[in-house]
Amino acid sequence: MTGLVLMAMATSASADDVDGNLAPIDDWSLSIAPYAWAAGMKGTVASLPGLPPVGVDASFQDLLENLDIGIMVSTELRYRRWAAFSDILYINLSADADTPAGILFDNIDVDQETFIGTFAGAYRAFDDGGTFIDVMAGVRVWSVDTRLTLDGGLLADQEREHNENWLDPMIGAKARYQFGNGIFLNGVVQIGGFGAASDFFWDVFGGVGYQFNDSISAVAGYRHLEEDYERNGFVFDVEMSGPVLGAVIRF
């Protein structure tokens, strides 16, 4: 059950993954991009120190069955060759089940709130009007709050809660190739951790987009992320993959 709850993390996607409509280098712009990442998860997790790690192999459909609320949005502020962007993900996921025998406890409830934020700066190293390459550096912040409640039965009700926070340094690059007629390809590569918090993570995305006009575009593609974090009994060693769909509004 703990592993199923941690699937909330699988819907993370950064601003780079969905924003294929960046501003010309001679002007200010602000982009706002709601998105969704329909990812499954495989790996090993332990969200409550003291409990043994569990293996996870779950699909995106499993996540939807336990999702209470999900908010995913990214923003980018660009001036000429320089940009600052943020990506915010908040997920509240809950699950409950009756215990098999119902003697010591009748019911188990698990609730998890997950926040993932990416904050970075970028510099446009190459731009010929249709193709560009940006280099980037920043941080990725994780916060996972897990609460386990045991109700009823012979023993008194019990509740356990743990909040884990960590910050990973990150470097990467993103690129776009314009075919014409509004169609473009874009890709993103990010790596980080380097032992500062996570041992290492890597994050890649590739997709195709369509620019409807100067203000609105859309991107569809595929993303794969691997994260390896473990500290004081908390374990998050997983890989997450799935399709990404996003819309970008530029002002």
Side-chain angles (χ1 to χ4, degrees):
M1 181 178 296
T2 302
L4 179 60
V5 172
L6 274 171
M7 284 188 62
M9 298 180 187
T11 57
S12 165
S14 72
D16 306 303
D17 296 343
V18 298
D19 192 350
N21 182 23
L22 298 179
I25 64 172
D26 59 351
D27 145 307
W28 284 95
S29 75
L30 173 65
S31 297
I32 300 175
Y35 62 88
W37 182 21
M41 175 185 284
K42 295 181 180 180
T44 303
V45 296
S47 57
L48 289 170
L51 296 182
V54 296
V56 178
D57 188 356
S59 68
F60 179 64
Q61 182 177 354
D62 297 325
L63 168 66
L64 289 179
E65 292 175 355
N66 296 279
L67 181 67
D68 291 334
I69 185 172
I71 300 172
M72 292 161 276
V73 63
S74 63
T75 62
E76 178 177 271
L77 179 64
R78 173 170 292 274
Y79 178 68
R80 298 190 176 180
R81 291 187 178 272
W82 298 94
F85 66 83
S86 67
D87 174 69
I88 301 299
L89 164 71
Y90 173 78
I91 292 289
N92 189 348
L93 192 69
S94 63
D96 66 89
D98 295 331
T99 58
I103 298 175
L104 299 180
F105 298 100
D106 292 331
N107 184 266
I108 300 175
D109 292 308
V110 182
D111 184 83
Q112 185 174 83
E113 296 182 29
T114 302
F115 171 86
I116 305 171
T118 302
F119 307 93
Y123 176 75
R124 182 146 299 174
F126 174 81
D127 192 327
D128 69 357
T131 300
F132 72 74
I133 300 175
D134 286 357
V135 293
M136 69 183 80
V139 296
R140 179 169 295 177
V141 181
W142 294 76
S143 177
V144 182
D145 187 6
T146 305
R147 184 167 55 254
L148 173 68
T149 305
L150 303 172
D151 297 323
L154 295 178
L155 299 181
D157 294 352
Q158 296 186 26
E159 182 174 289
R160 293 189 59 183
E161 185 171 1
H162 179 77
N163 180 257
E164 188 75 14
N165 305 287
W166 70 97
L167 183 150
D168 287 326
M170 175 272 291
I171 58 174
K174 58 182 177 178
R176 184 177 77 167
Y177 178 79
Q178 187 76 42
F179 284 108
N181 298 319
I183 300 173
F184 59 86
L185 291 177
N186 73 324
V188 184
V189 177
Q190 297 177 343
I191 60 175
F194 310 118
S198 302
D199 287 340
F200 187 73
F201 80 80
W202 62 280
D203 190 351
V204 295
F205 168 82
V208 60
Y210 183 78
Q211 189 165 322
F212 297 98
N213 52 49
D214 290 341
S215 300
I216 300 175
S217 63
V219 176
Y222 196 86
R223 184 183 181 196
H224 181 84
L225 165 67
E226 293 194 15
E227 170 86 358
D228 184 5
Y229 175 83
E230 181 175 354
R231 184 163 299 178
N232 299 325
F234 182 94
V235 178
F236 184 62
D237 184 6
V238 299
E239 59 181 70
M240 298 175 287
S241 300
V244 174
L245 181 63
V248 184
I249 304 171
R250 190 182 69 177
F251 300 93

